[in-house]
Amino acid sequence: MNYPYLQPYIKLSASIFFIALLMGYLAAKSYLKESVDYLDQMLSDYDFLRYIGSFGLFLIIFLNNSIKSFIAMLCGIFFGLVPFFFLYLNGFLIGLFIYITSRSMGLLGVILSILPHGIFELWAIMISTGIGLWLGAQSFRRLRYKVPLQPSIKIAVRIYVSRILPMLLFAAAIEAYISVLVAGFFRQ
């Protein structure tokens, strides 16, 4: 990516996510019953996904990830708060999920189930939220130096369409067609 000024924000994004993931993992370890109950309640809303087939799953995953990452990125103009909370919440929930699921599938099974699509999906999310954090910094610059925000938003949208969307599309295909099979292998 030819935007070196975004690198510190992408690294910050990854740091926030992985700290939250660790916190979620440790929270699930310390409060297992509450974590299982919370995750079960949350996942019950998505029970219909079992019945829609691989292509339907692919579409839902792609649309969900692309819409949420786009919103988190653009809402970075609110001083970076939305991408920060988006990263923290997702990292925390994934940490809960990893700990709870690893109890039945083993940690290796969980990692191998997430890894194929996670490489692309997480990288796309780190870039979009990193751009959101950068837009937050641009908002502060706008307040202080009266720098226009519109050129920064154009850059963000251009990167989103040319880099992030293709990664999310690829990740959704892998998750719907490959990761599901890997996870099923480890559940047996």
Side-chain angles (χ1 to χ4, degrees), residues 1 5-18 20 64-91 94 120-138 156-157 159-160 163-165 167-168:
M1 194 158 55
Y5 51 88
L6 293 176
Q7 294 305 316
Y9 298 98
I10 294 169
K11 289 177 184 175
L12 177 60
S13 192
S15 298
I16 294 165
F17 178 83
F18 286 109
N64 178 58
N65 289 338
S66 58
I67 291 168
K68 287 180 179 176
S69 64
F70 187 71
I71 290 169
M73 179 186 76
L74 284 185
C75 285
I77 62 171
F78 301 114
F79 309 105
L81 293 173
V82 173
F84 174 83
F85 287 115
F86 179 80
L87 284 165
Y88 187 83
L89 178 63
N90 281 284
I94 291 172
F120 300 100
E121 186 176 312
L122 288 177
W123 182 234
I125 298 299
M126 296 307 138
I127 294 171
S128 67
T129 53
I131 293 170
L133 294 172
W134 172 72
L135 286 173
Q138 298 308 303
V157 171
I159 295 170
Y160 185 84
R163 308 282 180 162
I164 297 167
L165 268 182
M167 281 192 282
L168 290 173

Side-chain angles (χ1 to χ4, degrees), residues 13-89:
S13 192
S15 298
I16 294 165
F17 178 83
F18 286 109
I19 288 169
L21 186 143
L22 179 62
M23 291 175 76
Y25 186 90
L26 295 174
K29 190 173 182 179
S30 299
Y31 303 98
L32 182 60
K33 183 185 178 336
E34 294 86 350
S35 299
V36 169
D37 291 346
Y38 177 75
L39 210 54
D40 283 346
Q41 178 186 355
M42 193 179 78
L43 292 176
S44 69
D45 294 338
Y46 298 97
D47 201 39
F48 71 95
L49 293 176
R50 296 179 196 206
Y51 309 105
I52 62 169
S54 296
F55 185 71
L57 184 61
F58 159 75
L59 284 177
I60 288 173
I61 291 168
F62 174 67
L63 290 172
N64 178 58
N65 289 338
S66 58
I67 291 168
K68 287 180 179 176
S69 64
F70 187 71
I71 290 169
M73 179 186 76
L74 284 185
C75 285
I77 62 171
F78 301 114
F79 309 105
L81 293 173
V82 173
F84 174 83
F85 287 115
F86 179 80
L87 284 165
Y88 187 83
L89 178 63

